[in-house]
Amino acid sequence: MYRFLVSFLLAATFLSCSKDEPGQTPPVVIPVVIDGAITEFNLNPTDINTPDKGTFLISANNTLYKVEFSSVAEPASNATIVFGTDTILTDLSREFANFGKDVIAYTPVAANQILVQFKDGRKVTGSFNPYTSFGGTFGEAVITQWRSAGDPAKPNQKAKDNIINLVRLYRDQDGPGPGTSPQYLFVKVSKS
């Protein structure tokens, strides 16, 4: 009887401890300021002239963060994004990997700096480096127009111009129109 009671108490102790472990995980804390290297940047516009969603991965302080953003009306916005320069693709950029007919990605890309400024004062600053990839879901029809006949992996001038124009719309959402408002975004940052 004594052995049975001791075995029962030991088993109950282990079971109660194991139940508490999942609830004891500390909450993920995202720093107020993140400054690092962007490893991957993706845009998923509604069309080539209308920003919509995007994501990028940024490595800072030995941690990989995922920044997800989507275009929203100003009242629903919590942030804006600013590109240091409009130029993304260069003569050295090449399409890499096969992501399907509607998705494309290039590497290397031009040096650039990205700033996500939150209304509450938080910010994410990231830099493109020689290992950064840039891509997105642009659709088969658009991607076909971006390929050069002699070197299909090399983006042609139309690809460069289309990406420049799309990036400019984040700074001025109506482009050449009379307004000067940025593209308002809802941005979420998480550990990847």
Side-chain angles (χ1 to χ4, degrees):
M1 177 74 174
Y2 176 74
R3 283 189 220 167
F4 175 75
L5 183 60
V6 170
S7 298
F8 176 77
L9 288 175
L10 282 174
T13 302
F14 286 118
L15 288 175
S16 67
C17 290
S18 65
K19 285 182 186 176
D20 292 340
E21 286 177 18
Q24 293 179 359
T25 304
V28 175
V29 177
I30 304 297
V32 173
V33 175
I34 297 173
D35 189 357
I38 295 175
T39 58
E40 182 180 307
F41 197 99
N42 292 292
L43 292 176
N44 297 307
T46 302
D47 60 54
I48 197 61
N49 297 307
T50 312
D52 188 15
K53 295 177 177 42
T55 62
F56 64 90
L57 298 176
I58 182 169
S59 177
N61 299 324
N62 296 323
T63 304
L64 190 62
Y65 297 96
K66 182 176 186 178
V67 179
E68 301 172 87
F69 56 93
S70 57
S71 298
V72 295
E74 185 176 5
S77 170
N78 69 347
T80 56
I81 190 169
V82 177
F83 289 78
T85 69
D86 300 333
T87 302
I88 304 293
L89 303 179
T90 71
D91 288 338
L92 298 175
S93 298
R94 293 295 183 272
E95 180 181 349
F96 73 97
N98 182 354
F99 299 107
K101 61 185 179 181
D102 294 323
V103 180
I104 196 165
Y106 297 99
T107 191
V109 293
N112 211 329
Q113 181 113 10
I114 307 297
L115 170 63
V116 176
Q117 185 70 54
F118 289 86
K119 289 181 178 179
D120 64 8
R122 294 177 294 143
K123 70 178 184 175
V124 177
T125 307
S127 300
F128 287 4
N129 63 40
Y131 306 106
T132 302
S133 68
F134 177 89
T137 305
F138 298 102
E140 182 179 17
V142 171
I143 291 170
T144 300
Q145 297 173 24
W146 290 357
R147 292 188 171 123
S148 303
D151 186 358
K154 181 180 180 180
N156 61 22
Q157 192 60 46
K158 182 167 181 56
K160 294 174 188 174
D161 292 343
N162 281 166
I163 297 297
I164 286 171
N165 291 332
L166 182 60
V167 165
R168 284 181 180 160
L169 294 174
Y170 284 95
R171 184 178 61 235
D172 181 0
Q173 66 178 313
D174 74 344
T180 57
S181 297
Q183 179 61 60
Y184 296 103
L185 303 173
F186 183 80
V187 180
K188 181 178 123 186
V189 181
S190 58
K191 282 190 179 178
S192 183

